[in-house]
Amino acid sequence: MPELPEVEVSRLGITPHVLNQTVTKVNIHNPSMRWPVPDDVYQLQGLKVSSVERRAKYLLLGCELGSVILHLGMSGNLRVVSADEPLKKHDHIEFILASGKALRLNDARRFGACLWQAPGECHTLLTKLGPEPLTDEFAAKRVYEQSRNKKVPIKQFIMDNAVVVGVGNIYANESLFKAGIHPKREAGKVSLKRYQQLVPIIKETLAAAITQGGTTLKDFAQSDGKPGYFAQQLLVYGRKGEPCVTCKEPLKEIRLGQRSTVYCSNCQK
């Protein structure tokens, strides 16, 4: 599914086309998403988009009456197109802009979402989220303290949105490999020194993915329809049985939390 870098790339892609634009019409072609699309979303109609923000993997289009919350689910994408361009299959939500363009949410599996947040409120989906990974709040000492006495594998620990948001499966695999930490090691047994290595690596890995346009996944495309390119540089994810880039030993794969986990048994301890 689209991970934080892909969502951030989407935010960067749509912002020049959407920010400060008046939404002349909201079209909900299919309200049956992961949760029913509330009628409150129509409040954006006739108003100017004053902000385009991201919180974890949620995008927020702000206006004076509140914010539309968008989530791409497992296969969704956002496209900015001419408003008169014919709808594609699975184009469920559409925001027509005064510029003559339209922002469309396309989601084949309908695991995405389009919700509403009133001014001064925090939607229940956002209330328990941990810090953003590229901020100073995501710090090694804080993560180390949270990890004490935790027996959960380190990979699942750093993927917990209460610890830090947006470290999905791909980037957890990559970061742990770069840090030389075995994905099954108990989070509570990872030392402060190793967290001091891991946290900057997570930041660098996510930042690199954002810079290079997001990971190319089966269903992901940027707002202009072009895929990302970071997948070409993945070191372990999706490379089961291939040689480790460091020691040349075949990479192994296990399941952790029902997610594919690829690692090097020689380099990661």
Side-chain angles (χ1 to χ4, degrees), residues 5 7-17 52 59 210-211 223:
V7 179
E8 178 64 9
V9 167
S10 291
R11 186 190 72 81
L12 294 171
I14 69 172
T15 295
H17 305 285
V52 182
L59 291 174
I210 292 168
T211 299
S223 59

Side-chain angles (χ1 to χ4, degrees), residues 184-238:
K184 288 183 68 175
R185 178 171 287 277
E186 291 182 13
K189 292 185 177 179
V190 176
S191 67
L192 174 59
K193 181 178 180 180
R194 300 199 83 183
Y195 277 115
Q196 288 172 334
Q197 296 171 327
L198 176 61
V199 168
I201 285 172
I202 291 173
K203 292 174 181 276
E204 292 165 7
T205 302
L206 291 171
I210 292 168
T211 299
Q212 297 182 44
T215 303
T216 303
L217 299 179
K218 179 181 178 182
D219 298 309
F220 176 74
Q222 293 181 37
S223 59
D224 61 1
K226 296 178 182 178
Y229 300 103
F230 188 66
Q232 299 174 16
Q233 299 186 19
L234 294 177
L235 302 177
V236 289
Y237 181 82

Side-chain angles (χ1 to χ4, degrees), residues 28-89:
I28 300 176
H29 301 294
N30 188 343
S32 301
M33 305 287 285
R34 185 174 182 180
W35 300 281
V37 180
D39 288 341
D40 289 338
V41 171
Y42 286 111
Q43 293 185 69
L44 187 58
Q45 193 165 283
L47 298 179
K48 183 178 291 187
V49 177
S50 56
S51 62
V52 182
E53 299 177 341
R54 179 190 54 76
R55 181 69 174 108
K57 293 197 286 186
Y58 297 93
L59 291 174
L60 291 86
L61 307 182
C63 69
E64 61 183 273
L65 296 181
S67 300
V68 170
I69 301 174
L70 299 173
H71 193 281
L72 300 180
M74 296 184 68
S75 60
N77 65 76
L78 290 168
R79 301 186 339 274
V80 176
V81 299
S82 174
D84 58 8
E85 181 175 310
L87 291 172
K88 289 187 176 182
K89 188 177 181 181

Side-chain angles (χ1 to χ4, degrees), residues 6-171:
E6 286 75 36
V7 179
E8 178 64 9
V9 167
S10 291
R11 186 190 72 81
L12 294 171
I14 69 172
T15 295
H17 305 285
V18 174
L19 186 61
N20 295 322
Q21 281 289 321
T22 297
V23 178
T24 58
K25 190 171 179 56
V26 174
N27 293 321
I28 300 176
H29 301 294
N30 188 343
S32 301
M33 305 287 285
R34 185 174 182 180
W35 300 281
V37 180
D39 288 341
D40 289 338
V41 171
Y42 286 111
Q43 293 185 69
L44 187 58
Q45 193 165 283
L47 298 179
K48 183 178 291 187
V49 177
S50 56
S51 62
V52 182
E53 299 177 341
R54 179 190 54 76
R55 181 69 174 108
K57 293 197 286 186
Y58 297 93
L59 291 174
L60 291 86
L61 307 182
C63 69
E64 61 183 273
L65 296 181
S67 300
V68 170
I69 301 174
L70 299 173
H71 193 281
L72 300 180
M74 296 184 68
S75 60
N77 65 76
L78 290 168
R79 301 186 339 274
V80 176
V81 299
S82 174
D84 58 8
E85 181 175 310
L87 291 172
K88 289 187 176 182
K89 188 177 181 181
H90 309 304
D91 278 345
H92 302 311
I93 313 292
E94 180 180 37
F95 303 97
I96 307 297
L97 307 173
S99 64
K101 295 183 179 180
L103 174 66
R104 292 176 181 171
L105 172 61
N106 184 286
D107 185 2
R109 299 183 186 180
R110 290 189 293 171
F111 287 149
C114 180
L115 302 167
W116 181 261
Q117 178 176 274
E121 294 184 3
C122 185
H123 196 282
T124 53
L125 291 172
L126 309 180
T127 54
K128 296 182 179 180
L129 294 176
E132 289 287 328
L134 300 182
T135 64
D136 291 340
E137 190 180 353
F138 178 46
K141 185 177 180 181
R142 180 181 185 274
V143 178
Y144 170 76
E145 291 172 350
Q146 285 179 295
S147 72
R148 294 308 85 191
N149 301 316
K150 293 286 174 58
K151 295 187 177 183
V152 64
I154 180 65
K155 182 180 176 230
Q156 290 172 270
F157 179 71
I158 63 173
M159 289 179 65
D160 184 346
N161 278 335
V163 176
V164 59
V165 300
V167 183
N169 192 40
I170 293 175
Y171 301 109

